[in-house]
Amino acid sequence: MTATPAGTASTLVIAPMLVVLVAAAGTLLLGRHPRARTAVSLAGGAGYAIAVAAIDWYIVLGPDAPGIATYQVGDLPAPFGITLVADGLSAFMLTMVAILGIASLVFSTRHLPGGEGRSYYFPLFHFLALGVTGAFLTGDLFNLFVWFEVMLMASYVFVAYSGGPQHTRAAFWYVTLNLLASAVFLLGVGGIYATTGTLNMADLAQRLAEPAAYGLEPVPVVGLLGLLLSVFAIKAGLVPFQFWIPTAYRAAPPQITALLAGATKKVGIYAIIRLSFTIFAGAEVAVDLPLPLVDVAITGDSPLPFVGAALFVMAAGSILLGGIGAVGRDSMEGVFAYSSIGQVGFIAIPVAIATTAAGPELRTFAIIAALVYALNHTLAKGLLFLAVGTVRSATGTSRFADLGGLAKRSPPLALAVFVGSLALVGIPPLSGFFGKFLVFDAAARAGSGPVLVLLLVGSLLTIAYATRLWNRSFWGARTDAVEAATVDPVQVAILVGLAVAIIAVGVGFEPVYEFAETAAEAALDTEGYVDAVDPQTASELAGSNGGGH
């Protein structure tokens, strides 16, 4: 194929955001026309998937793809204007959102809570997708904050969507915690601007790599990075910031919970990877910190060991607390909510290994492991939370005490949940096997026995709660609720489709690995990121404008 013109690649960067924004506006205007609203929403979802696929191929994966493309809003150059950047890392994340977003959107047309909320459900759905997409594409820290807020404002409403006392209570704590996180985020962003004089990520990476040339004192950046890390840990649901997850996940509609677990959590992980490796890895800051769980290098001239120390502790706590909590839950959504806490720990462990890796090979491999595991978590946990919605709509409950015999009542539903559960456990040839294998392999390459033991304990806990859920819900004699259940075939078809995707990723894993490898290399290619954005100085901007008026 011929090379994609630079202007075309640049336009593609903003395409997913434009599509989802138009869909949000269209569904808002059609609030009193439910059929037209649903049609516009589905068309917007399909358009979003096409736009993301175009970014994947024409910017990242195609034979003549540039690998990275930027879009300057209003044609104002960086760092003075708003920069959007699409590279391998953002494209990989957007692909996960597109897959799960389509499944959740179609599911919403079949399982939509009643009441007046129906008129604003689909606009909020698309605004949630807009916030997630903007966070993956933004090229500066302040707009990362802005897109976080867009994403969170929509999710606030969804947590309180049903309007009951427990939903209101869950929304209150969710809002309180995230408002605090937003204040800390803004404080960190302000501190970084005061310290470095810029919020553009490429410009920030450039200045931190050569602090003397810009007259900067980079040491305070480590503390400010700590503030941002705590914010991103809250978004990802890492211990000790996980306590909002069980109540929020139970309160939101299941198809939204699938997005919260499968997509919005990944925004926190993405931000940690992007800032740690693309932006702060080149900063010349001497750090000497003890690392609790791994016997690897913990000193150097980079703030990454600081990030690694914190991530190891949070990941370990997440794996143990999430796994133990899931074993003792009495409902399907309770198990999956605590499971999400534990599973995000499996994603954070290889990221922590990458921050402390002595060489570039291990660092790249560890990020690949994190991305592949994140993909599996998106597919499997999205499937399982949608399965909660299917079971609820069919039986009126998701409590183990009222379930039993679902496997005989609906074999396709049972098969889909079985595949999703096995993917969490890590059984071949499913996507979860490769994700878990790569995480274990990264820990082994790092020479960390304690981390391997931790991962093994977490895997055993996953087997325990997955087996318990299957026995209590799908095995045994049918309860009255199951006997009277009417299972929606479209909902089951969506679950089967995600199960097929899990199998397909495992069976055809090579291109998935190559995509993840491209994403990991993009995360580590600070020079390429800076060159693509090409931040200018004020004097260069004045010169390009002919010296002003």
Side-chain angles (χ1 to χ4, degrees), residues 74-445:
D75 286 331
L76 192 62
F80 307 102
I82 297 174
T83 303
L84 300 175
V85 184
D87 63 358
L89 179 60
S90 54
F92 191 89
M93 293 294 185
L94 287 173
T95 303
M96 292 193 292
V97 175
I99 294 171
L100 183 56
I102 286 290
S104 297
L105 186 58
V106 176
F107 194 95
S108 296
T109 65
R110 308 292 297 186
H111 181 79
L112 190 60
E116 297 180 358
R118 289 189 173 190
S119 62
Y120 58 77
Y121 176 91
F122 287 109
L124 284 172
F125 186 101
H126 291 291
F127 277 118
L128 178 62
L130 177 63
V132 173
T133 304
F136 288 148
L137 290 174
T138 188
D140 69 86
L141 288 178
F142 181 76
N143 280 288
L144 181 62
F145 167 79
V146 170
W147 293 121
F148 266 50
E149 294 307 297
V150 172
M151 175 181 70
L152 290 170
M153 282 190 289
S155 61
Y156 295 155
V157 180
F158 279 130
V159 172
Y161 186 84
S162 297
Q166 72 175 48
H167 305 90
T168 303
R169 188 181 308 111
F172 172 78
W173 288 113
Y174 185 65
V175 169
T176 301
L177 176 64
N178 280 283
L179 285 178
L180 177 62
S182 296
V184 174
F185 195 171
L186 204 55
L187 180 64
V189 167
I192 287 176
Y193 184 77
T195 304
T196 65
T198 187
L199 293 175
N200 182 277
M201 293 183 187
D203 195 32
L204 183 60
Q206 191 171 251
R207 295 182 182 215
L208 290 175
E210 302 177 279
Y214 293 90
L216 303 181
E217 176 52 61
V219 173
V221 172
V222 178
L224 296 169
L225 178 58
L227 289 180
L228 297 182
L229 180 62
S230 66
V231 173
F232 302 148
I234 291 174
K235 310 306 180 187
L238 287 164
V239 169
F241 307 109
Q242 85 297 337
F243 47 84
W244 61 272
I245 289 178
T247 55
Y249 282 15
R250 285 196 298 266
Q255 61 270 31
I256 297 301
T257 303
L259 273 182
L260 294 178
T264 62
K265 265 196 166 198
K266 305 308 183 298
V267 174
I269 295 296
Y270 166 84
I272 292 172
I273 294 174
R274 176 66 79 192
L275 266 67
S276 297
F277 300 106
T278 309
I279 311 304
F280 288 95
E284 296 183 1
V285 183
V287 177
D288 186 357
L289 291 172
L291 207 56
L293 294 178
V294 292
D295 184 19
V296 293
I298 58 174
T299 60
D301 297 325
S302 167
L304 290 189
F306 166 80
V307 176
L311 275 181
F312 274 118
V313 174
M314 290 189 288
S318 298
I319 290 173
L320 296 176
L321 187 147
I324 294 172
V327 170
R329 297 305 101 188
D330 60 359
S331 65
M332 292 179 67
E333 70 267 27
V335 170
F336 297 145
Y338 275 91
S339 168
S340 291
I341 298 172
Q343 294 298 310
V344 79
F346 279 93
I347 301 172
I349 282 288
V351 177
I353 292 172
T355 62
T356 58
E361 294 82 7
L362 178 55
R363 180 167 291 178
T364 302
F365 183 81
I367 296 177
I368 293 171
L371 294 175
V372 172
Y373 202 99
L375 173 61
N376 174 68
H377 181 260
T378 294
L379 295 175
K381 198 53 65 72
L383 185 160
L384 294 172
F385 275 117
L386 292 179
V388 172
T390 302
V391 172
R392 275 191 196 171
S393 63
T395 67
T397 183
S398 60
R399 292 178 61 84
F400 295 148
D402 301 318
L403 298 176
L406 277 169
K408 293 181 180 179
R409 187 67 184 83
S410 178
L413 168 62
L415 179 61
V417 173
F418 189 65
V419 170
S421 300
L422 291 183
L424 288 184
V425 172
I427 301 298
L430 306 178
S431 59
F433 167 74
F434 293 99
K436 191 153 288 186
F437 175 80
L438 291 174
V439 173
F440 271 87
D441 194 10
R445 295 188 187 195

Side-chain angles (χ1 to χ4, degrees), residues 27 30-43 109 122:
T27 53
L30 294 170
R32 295 186 178 181
H33 306 278
R35 290 186 179 179
R37 183 182 64 217
T38 300
V40 169
S41 185
L42 291 174
T109 65
F122 287 109

Side-chain angles (χ1 to χ4, degrees), residues 1 4 8-9 11-16 47-69 85-99 133 136-137 375 511-512 514-516 518-519:
M1 61 177 283
T4 305
T8 303
T11 304
L12 285 177
V13 176
I14 201 171
Y48 181 84
I50 293 171
V52 171
I55 287 177
D56 290 346
W57 182 253
Y58 290 108
I59 295 180
V60 179
L61 300 176
D64 298 305
I68 185 171
V85 184
D87 63 358
L89 179 60
S90 54
F92 191 89
M93 293 294 185
L94 287 173
T95 303
M96 292 193 292
V97 175
I99 294 171
T133 304
F136 288 148
L137 290 174
L375 173 61
V512 175
E514 291 174 354
F515 193 1
T518 300

